[in-house]
């Protein structure tokens, strides 16, 4: 995967319901060409955050936007949603220019969930989700039978039907975020855009939220685009990643393809931070001393985690004469040339053996 061009759109995966015939390629629901994002000031002065962006967003996929603070993630999302004008180039939504849509039309196509915490504590969960029906209910906002059916279905889709009558103020942050997703679902939009939806959630709720969004994309054919700082979850749950950094072309593709092509390493390797393609983790410093690790997969994985933390690098037997063989968590053997065979009954014990003998 080359890095010299911003046109790095990934090969689309098959949508829910079966593969796409070779002669019927899928069309992106959002597509940009030559897009420049940023801010226009008084006169002709402009602050360009990113330019020459060519991006494609597909239905049935969860796409995660990754980037450091200040990279312009929120600016890009706001521009794609029509909340602020582009500085140049073109955005097409379902084949039609974004500029040709009215606000009412866009509200039926793109559902947006912002970063801010939900402060609608005085209404019930059902009433909050029902706000998503505003594009369909008119000025007075009266809900008909179909509107109520959609609201109930949206609550059910995020597992919150049992909390329909509860006050929003009584709910946890994770439950409130589910309601905001349900509100977007009740708009019946083919595209859902979320700005850091897991920002205020604990680890369990972050996993649950990302899993929910991936399931909704796959099962309901939604195109879900979100920004996040959670690298581990983005790699695990996303069908596609967009890597954004000021002054560099966007890199886009399936997480595994970006890792195997070393795109992550060039993106994150700076200021003493290194991306390890073998583990999918960021580390503070790149360990230089290799130790071969083999044996039971789970044990070997966590032994590798401990090695990295202690300044070593898990490797193959061809690269290092020092070898660790993992039989099970309570039986880990260490082989060092010139030393007798050593055995540890825990990972902590293994690390002590290594530091004492190597």
């Amino acid at each position: 995967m080359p890095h010299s061009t911003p046109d790095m759109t990934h090969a689309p995966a098959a949508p829910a319901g079966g593969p796409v015939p070779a002669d019927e390629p899928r069309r992106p629901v959002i597509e940009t060409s030559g897009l420049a994002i940023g801010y226009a000031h008084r006169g002709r002065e402009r602050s360009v955050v990113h330019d020459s962006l060519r991006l494609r967003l597909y239905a049935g996929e969860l796409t995660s936007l990754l980037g450091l603070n200040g990279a312009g993630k929120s600016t890009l999302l706001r521009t794609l949603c029509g909340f602020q004008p582009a500085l140049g180039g073109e955005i097409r939504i379902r084949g039609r220019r974004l500029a040709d849509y009215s606000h009412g039309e866009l509200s039926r196509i793109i559902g947006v969930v912002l970063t801010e915490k939900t402060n609608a504590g005085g209404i019930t969960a059902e009433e909050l989700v029902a706000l998503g029906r505003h594009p369909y209910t008119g000025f007075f906002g009266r809900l008909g039978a179909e509107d109520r059916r959609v609201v109930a279905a949206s609550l059910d889709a995020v597992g919150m039907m049992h909390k329909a009558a509860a006050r929003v103020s009584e709910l946890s942050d994770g439950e409130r975020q589910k309601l905001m997703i349900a509100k977007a679902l009740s708009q019946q939009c083919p595209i859902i855009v979320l700005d850091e939806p897991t920002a205020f959630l604990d680890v369990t709720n972050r996993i649950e939220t990302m899993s929910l969004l991936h399931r909704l994309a796959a099962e309901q054919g939604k195109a879900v685009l979100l920004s996040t700082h959670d690298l581990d979850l983005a790699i695990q749950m996303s069908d596609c990643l967009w890597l954004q950094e000021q002054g560099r072309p966007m890199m886009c593709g399936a997480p595994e393809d970006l890792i195997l092509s070393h795109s992550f390493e060039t993106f994150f390797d700076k200021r003493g931070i290194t991306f390890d393609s073998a583990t999918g983790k960021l580390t503070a410093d790149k360990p230089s001393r290799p130790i071969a690790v083999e044996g039971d997969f789970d044990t070997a994985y966590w032994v590798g985690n401990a090695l990295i933390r202690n300044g070593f690098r898990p490797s193959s037997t061809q690269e290092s004469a020092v070898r660790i063989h993992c039989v099970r968590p309570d039986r880990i053997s260490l082989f060092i040339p010139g030393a007798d065979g050593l055995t540890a009954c825990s990972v902590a014990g293994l690390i002590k053996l290594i530091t004492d003998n190597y």
Side-chain angles (χ1 to χ4, degrees):
M1 183 176 293
H3 298 172
S4 60
T5 171
D7 182 13
M8 299 193 61
T9 51
H10 69 305
V20 177
D23 59 345
E24 294 183 21
R26 285 193 305 160
R27 294 182 178 179
V29 292
I30 293 182
E31 182 172 19
T32 73
S33 58
L35 177 64
I37 62 172
Y39 301 88
H41 305 293
R42 290 184 178 180
R44 296 184 177 181
E45 187 179 350
R46 304 190 311 168
S47 298
V48 178
V49 174
H50 234 299
D51 60 9
S52 303
L53 291 174
R54 185 178 179 188
L55 304 167
R56 293 175 183 170
L57 186 72
Y58 290 93
E61 292 186 357
L62 170 62
T63 296
S64 292
L65 173 62
L66 293 168
L68 301 176
N69 287 335
K73 300 187 300 297
S74 295
T75 303
L76 175 58
L77 295 185
R78 287 196 298 268
T79 305
L80 293 177
C81 295
F83 290 174
Q84 71 180 67
L87 298 183
E90 185 175 75
I91 302 171
R92 286 188 173 270
I93 298 178
R94 306 177 89 181
R96 182 179 167 192
R97 292 174 61 249
L98 173 62
D100 294 336
Y101 283 92
S102 68
H103 290 299
E105 289 174 322
L106 278 178
S107 68
R108 298 188 182 206
I109 294 176
I110 303 178
V112 180
V113 179
L114 300 176
T115 309
E116 291 79 8
K117 283 190 175 183
T118 306
N119 294 316
I123 63 176
T124 67
E126 184 177 30
E127 289 168 339
L128 175 60
V129 175
L131 294 176
R133 297 303 295 165
H134 178 73
Y136 305 90
T137 56
F139 179 79
F140 294 103
R142 294 193 181 95
L143 298 179
E146 175 62 13
D147 298 310
R148 297 187 184 282
R149 184 198 67 77
V150 172
V151 170
S154 301
L155 283 165
D156 185 61
V158 301
M160 289 291 288
M161 192 62 195
H162 66 295
K163 294 282 189 176
R167 296 284 178 185
V168 175
S169 59
E170 301 168 353
L171 303 178
S172 68
D173 286 341
E175 290 171 328
R176 294 185 190 191
Q177 190 63 289
K178 288 180 183 179
L179 289 182
M180 296 306 295
I181 295 171
K183 176 176 171 287
L185 287 178
S186 73
Q187 287 181 240
Q188 295 183 299
C189 297
I191 303 167
I192 299 178
V193 175
L194 308 97
D195 192 3
E196 297 194 38
T198 61
F200 302 111
L201 305 183
D202 59 34
V203 62
T204 302
N205 280 304
R206 290 203 304 270
I207 294 171
E208 191 173 7
T209 299
M210 289 290 285
S211 180
L212 168 64
L213 291 169
H214 187 269
R215 176 172 59 82
L216 292 173
E219 294 180 357
Q220 298 191 16
K222 306 283 188 185
V224 180
L225 172 63
L226 62 89
S227 63
T228 181
H229 287 287
D230 199 325
L231 177 63
D232 288 344
L233 274 181
I235 290 174
Q236 290 179 47
M237 299 289 189
S238 304
D239 300 294
C240 180
L241 297 180
W242 292 356
L243 305 183
Q244 182 178 9
E245 183 180 9
Q246 280 189 295
R248 297 180 62 180
M250 288 274 286
M251 291 184 283
C252 307
E256 298 77 14
D257 288 330
L258 291 173
I259 291 171
L260 292 173
S261 66
H262 304 292
S263 296
F264 268 89
E265 293 174 29
T266 60
F267 188 76
F268 286 108
D269 280 7
K270 53 190 168 184
R271 294 185 291 275
I273 301 298
T274 297
F275 180 82
D276 186 345
S277 59
T279 62
K281 296 181 181 294
L282 292 173
T283 58
D285 294 294
K286 192 165 188 174
S288 57
R289 291 192 291 174
I291 296 181
V293 183
E294 61 184 12
D296 175 66
F297 179 84
D298 287 347
T299 306
Y301 177 85
W302 290 109
V303 164
N305 187 76
L307 289 176
I308 293 171
R309 185 174 66 250
N310 287 276
F312 300 95
R313 175 168 53 84
S315 69
S316 64
T317 54
Q318 289 81 13
E319 189 179 357
S320 175
V322 178
R323 181 168 59 91
I324 296 171
H325 181 72
C326 304
V327 179
R328 55 179 185 262
D330 61 351
R331 186 180 172 188
I332 308 170
S333 299
L334 173 65
F335 301 94
I336 299 177
D340 295 332
L342 304 169
T343 301
C345 60
S346 67
V347 176
L350 172 70
I351 296 300
K352 187 174 188 309
L353 284 178
I354 294 172
T355 55
D356 287 348
N357 293 276
Y358 181 40

